[in-house]
Amino acid sequence: MKYRSEIDGLRALAVVPVILFHAGFELFSGGFVGVDVFFVISGYLITTILIEDIENNRFSLVKFYERRARRILPALFFVMLICVPFAWMWMLPHQLKDFSQSFVAVIFFASNILFWRESGYFAAAAEEKPLLHTWSLAVEEQYYLLFPILLFLAWRFGKNRVFLMIVVLAAISLAIGEWGWRNAATANFYLAPTRAWELFAGSIAAFVVQKRGVQSNNTMSTLGLSAVVFAIFAYDESTPFPSIYALVPVIGVVFLILFAGKETFAARFLSTKAMVGIGLISYSAYLWHQPLFAFARLRLLEQPSPWLMSVLAIASLLLAIVSWRYVEAPFRKETKIGRKNIFILSSLVASVLAVFGVYGHLEAGFPSRFDQSVREILEVESLHLSLRDDGGCNRVKDETYLEKCKYGLQDNVNVAMVGDSHASALTYALGRMGEEEGFGIYRYTKNSCPLVLGLTSNVNEKCFDFVEALLQDIASSDEIDTVIVSGRLAAYITDHPYDNSTGGVEGARDTLYSILGTPFTAPIRTRKDEIISGFRSAVLRLSEENPNKRIVLLTPIPEHGWHIPNQLAERQIFGGDAIPTLPIEIYKERNSEILPEILNLASLSNVSTYDMTQFLCDETQCFSVNDGIPLYYDGDHLSNYGARFALAKIQQYIRCEQSQAC
């Protein structure tokens, strides 16, 4: 295969934007398309090598996988080993457990599957995963595992038919991606079936070049270069990806492969020493940048400054030079390390890394590294969930599809808690109050299902069924006399991540909400108005069907954006100031369309409100910690302690109803 310096330059054009995007520089908002550029290049190079080997009768799977092992594994394993001591020092137990799982996934080239199941690529938590970027290696290796075999077996049908087969497979993969971003965005981003067409695009280019050679066309090659650059600066996290939008950078790379002959402007630019030099170390640079950024975010209590991220971006290139020269290059030379040794060494190191990964998972991230006070803080979430779902819940099934939980006094269940996970987070604490005050609670809650008529989402389509069933169940109940409603309503009427203005920013959301009959692609203003109307209609119906029951609407719980127990634990481990508080104005702005609606509904004769901020906030700010104890078990769900703290006066509504004094 003839060396093309412009291809190395194209690698530089891919890796630098990826690094700057992950560093958080908004100018490179579409820098993630660099991965797609890599996919096309990889498809082109691998297919070119395979065609030459098959046509010259020297095709060997063993030889092919040996080349892949020499190219991929030494630098990858080296970076993974360097990560271990920093993970041990700086990661909280659940983070180290996840990191250990990623070790195993990387070894088996399945990290794209693992990260798909854990979180979205643009989620805030993803920024703290040192091996997140290996998802793209997993996609490539899954392609390498199957494509050579497919190509070899199909070759007997003739080159033209093989080419047509690849075109058809690419079209199918692109179609799956178009469906995927609308229906399963995270899976669409990570999994090979929706990315394969980008590798196939490189394969198609390889067939064309093999037949016609590389053409010199300034117009087409400049257009290709412009398309890649356009995507880097014009796309952002809201761009559906991969989808037909990915055609812009992908076709741009294909044009460069086909038409960037040596005489063209694009080839001359990509063949400059700087571009080729960065291209040569691009794989190592790609490996280094994410661990550097992730560990900086893990170690620092605040978001790293742009200055620091710039230094780390440069450091990734400097480290890449070292690992390219002393790790990558030596292992690529068969004269230094033979085939047998490369397989033996790879197997040994992979085994060591896999054992560490399995052990870290089984030991739950080694919590014994930290003292008891830190462990107690970190156990707030698991303790809350276990009490809510096991220790405090006596499940009650009726003839409808509902399965309710019963808390508090079991023979006097006269209170219903209704709503989403914010309501669910309150039930155990309210149940404990019930034991003291002489009442019991039914929990009618479902994650991401607030009291909104007709609500549906691209993830939880059956929410409207749940709301309808609980309304019917409450209306038919003679024992329930008080209904308490809570929900994170603001989350359903916005498509952008929540930003607490003090550094806590949620990741990009994969879930879209709407009302039945309105598509998820409708303008957010339309969906917002309909969802608010659905909430109003649900409360009106609840009021009208239960005229003798008191309905208590809780104002929204303040959302902090930070994972509070993690923040508190890190400050105890590393030292630092108190967790930033949430400005009350941010809370009011976040709920500016919900609070007036709740107040308006309180004018109904049997509806009242309970202000959740009266104990969680003062006139200027909302708090997440009290006396060193987390009020939240994550960034927006109250812990058992926080729920009891915030519901200190809720008993008055229960007593009021029981005594008929109101």
Side-chain angles (χ1 to χ4, degrees):
M1 179 180 176
K2 186 178 179 181
Y3 173 70
R4 296 180 61 182
S5 58
E6 65 272 15
I7 296 298
D8 272 331
L10 191 53
R11 286 194 175 105
L13 187 61
V15 76
V16 171
V18 169
I19 292 173
L20 296 176
F21 168 75
H22 285 152
F25 294 105
E26 294 183 2
L27 179 63
F28 296 85
S29 58
F32 55 86
V33 304
V35 173
D36 307 87
V37 174
F38 276 128
F39 283 156
V40 181
I41 294 172
S42 186
Y44 164 70
L45 294 175
I46 292 304
T47 304
T48 300
I49 292 170
L50 289 171
I51 291 174
E52 290 178 358
D53 285 352
I54 292 172
E55 288 189 333
N56 290 289
N57 295 317
R58 60 171 185 260
F59 173 77
S60 166
L61 273 179
V62 174
K63 181 65 175 178
F64 176 81
Y65 291 132
E66 178 196 346
R67 285 197 298 257
R68 289 298 87 208
R70 291 181 183 277
R71 176 76 174 93
I72 300 296
L73 298 184
L76 174 62
F77 288 170
F78 177 66
V79 171
M80 290 172 70
L81 287 169
I82 296 298
C83 285
V84 172
F86 296 98
W88 183 269
M89 290 187 295
W90 294 343
M91 282 185 161
L92 299 176
H94 74 277
Q95 294 167 338
L96 186 56
K97 180 180 178 180
D98 290 346
F99 179 69
S100 300
Q101 292 171 345
S102 69
F103 258 48
V104 178
V106 170
I107 294 301
F108 291 99
F109 292 105
S111 55
N112 61 326
I113 299 172
L114 175 68
F115 295 129
W116 157 52
R117 301 303 302 170
E118 287 184 346
S119 67
Y121 182 72
F122 301 109
E127 292 183 340
E128 298 179 351
K129 296 180 183 296
L131 298 179
L132 176 71
H133 58 327
T134 61
W135 73 269
S136 63
L137 301 183
V139 170
E140 286 196 15
E141 291 307 315
Q142 290 158 17
Y143 172 81
Y144 296 151
L145 183 66
L146 299 175
F147 183 71
I149 300 172
L150 174 67
L151 192 66
F152 179 74
L153 294 177
W155 202 259
R156 69 189 67 182
F157 300 109
K159 185 185 295 186
N160 290 338
R161 289 180 178 176
V162 172
F163 177 79
L164 180 61
M165 176 194 70
I166 293 173
V167 171
V168 171
L169 290 174
I172 293 172
S173 174
L174 176 59
I176 294 173
E178 265 299 290
W179 176 90
W181 77 261
R182 293 178 172 88
N183 297 277
T186 305
N188 184 64
F189 189 92
Y190 279 115
L191 300 187
T194 58
R195 292 286 186 171
W197 70 272
E198 298 174 348
L199 289 145
F200 284 138
S203 299
I204 292 169
F207 273 84
V208 176
V209 169
Q210 202 261 351
K211 182 177 182 179
R212 299 175 51 205
V214 179
Q215 306 297 302
S216 291
N217 188 315
N218 252 318
T219 301
M220 298 299 286
S221 59
T222 302
L223 181 62
L225 182 62
S226 300
V228 176
V229 173
F230 170 81
I232 290 169
F233 293 107
Y235 289 0
D236 58 29
E237 296 175 3
S238 66
T239 307
F241 225 82
S243 65
I244 58 172
Y245 287 91
L247 282 170
V248 174
V250 167
I251 291 179
V253 177
V254 170
F255 280 7
L256 286 168
I257 292 172
L258 297 180
F259 301 112
K262 296 295 183 183
E263 299 80 15
T264 62
F265 163 77
R268 291 198 302 272
F269 168 71
L270 294 173
S271 297
T272 58
K273 288 184 178 180
M275 294 295 286
V276 172
I278 295 174
L280 288 172
I281 62 169
S282 60
Y283 176 58
S284 279
Y286 183 75
L287 290 178
W288 278 114
H289 84 280
Q290 178 62 17
L292 288 174
F293 295 163
F295 282 119
R297 292 182 172 112
L298 285 166
R299 176 59 183 85
L300 299 177
L301 299 178
E302 311 297 340
Q303 282 292 320
S305 67
W307 179 86
L308 176 59
M309 298 305 280
S310 299
V311 170
L312 293 176
I314 295 171
S316 68
L317 296 178
L318 296 177
L319 287 170
I321 295 173
V322 175
S323 58
W324 174 78
R325 181 171 182 178
Y326 296 106
V327 180
E328 280 194 72
F331 276 92
R332 291 189 192 181
K333 297 178 180 178
E334 296 183 28
T335 54
K336 287 192 173 184
I337 303 173
R339 175 185 296 177
K340 181 179 179 180
N341 288 334
I342 196 72
F343 284 131
I344 291 175
L345 286 172
S346 298
S347 299
L348 286 175
V349 177
S351 298
V352 171
L353 294 172
V355 167
F356 170 81
V358 172
Y359 191 44
H361 168 75
L362 295 176
E363 291 296 317
F366 306 99
S368 58
R369 291 174 294 142
F370 305 111
D371 61 36
Q372 183 63 29
S373 62
V374 172
R375 295 201 297 270
E376 288 176 356
I377 292 171
L378 295 172
E379 289 169 0
V380 165
E381 181 172 3
S382 60
L383 177 62
H384 177 100
L385 296 176
S386 65
L387 288 174
R388 187 193 71 186
D389 295 333
D390 298 314
C393 176
N394 295 310
R395 301 196 179 276
V396 180
K397 285 189 177 182
D398 55 26
E399 294 179 357
T400 71
Y401 108 105
L402 282 176
E403 182 179 283
K404 299 172 288 190
C405 275
K406 185 189 292 186
Y407 295 81
L409 201 64
Q410 302 295 301
D411 57 358
N412 182 28
V413 185
N414 61 325
V415 178
M417 174 63 77
V418 174
D420 57 13
S421 59
H422 275 209
S424 183
L426 300 171
T427 48
Y428 179 74
L430 198 58
R432 294 295 301 271
M433 291 181 183
E435 294 173 357
E436 300 166 3
E437 298 290 338
F439 64 87
I441 303 166
Y442 279 130
R443 188 184 85 194
Y444 295 88
T445 67
K446 188 177 182 67
N447 290 350
S448 301
C449 279
L451 186 67
V452 175
L453 283 176
L455 185 70
T456 186
S457 76
N458 58 343
V459 174
N460 187 0
E461 298 179 356
K462 295 297 183 180
C463 188
F464 56 87
D465 283 343
F466 170 76
V467 173
E468 183 65 33
L470 74 85
L471 287 172
Q472 293 179 15
D473 202 59
I474 291 173
S476 64
S477 172
D478 294 328
E479 57 182 338
I480 294 175
D481 55 39
T482 303
V483 181
I484 302 174
V485 180
S486 177
R488 191 187 181 190
L489 294 170
Y492 307 98
I493 60 173
T494 180
D495 285 347
H496 59 78
Y498 172 59
D499 186 343
N500 70 5
S501 82
T502 60
V505 183
E506 288 186 331
R509 295 172 52 183
D510 298 329
T511 307
L512 299 174
Y513 296 92
S514 188
I515 297 296
L516 283 173
T518 301
F520 301 120
T521 53
I524 180 60
R525 184 70 257 177
T526 299
R527 290 183 283 125
K528 180 184 294 188
D529 290 341
E530 292 188 358
I531 291 170
I532 292 174
S533 177
F535 171 67
R536 183 189 312 118
S537 298
V539 176
L540 287 172
R541 177 175 160 186
L542 187 63
S543 173
E544 292 167 359
E545 293 181 350
N546 303 275
N548 298 319
K549 298 174 182 178
R550 177 171 292 279
I551 300 163
V552 182
L553 304 181
L554 307 185
T555 60
I557 295 165
E559 305 158 84
H560 284 268
W562 308 99
H563 191 289
I564 303 304
N566 287 358
Q567 285 280 318
L568 187 58
E570 287 172 355
R571 278 163 168 74
Q572 286 207 17
I573 296 168
F574 303 129
D577 298 330
I579 299 175
T581 56
L582 175 73
I584 191 69
E585 293 305 318
I586 297 296
Y587 170 80
K588 291 179 179 178
E589 180 183 351
R590 169 76 164 168
N591 297 283
S592 60
E593 297 186 68
I594 300 302
L595 290 171
E597 192 65 46
I598 291 175
L599 293 176
N600 288 337
L601 290 167
S603 63
L604 298 171
S605 60
N606 60 338
V607 177
S608 57
T609 65
Y610 179 80
D611 185 3
M612 294 296 288
T613 67
Q614 61 181 310
F615 286 105
L616 295 170
C617 310
D618 61 20
E619 294 180 355
T620 62
Q621 57 196 335
C622 296
F623 305 98
S624 58
V625 176
N626 182 63
D627 291 335
I629 304 175
L631 296 172
Y632 293 76
Y633 71 72
D634 56 12
D636 56 88
H637 294 85
L638 289 175
S639 64
N640 288 320
Y641 173 75
R644 191 69 184 258
F645 189 79
L647 295 173
K649 288 188 177 181
I650 198 80
Q651 295 102 314
Q652 71 185 31
Y653 294 98
I654 312 301
R655 294 195 197 102
C656 179
E657 185 60 42
Q658 289 176 334
S659 64
Q660 302 294 313
C662 301

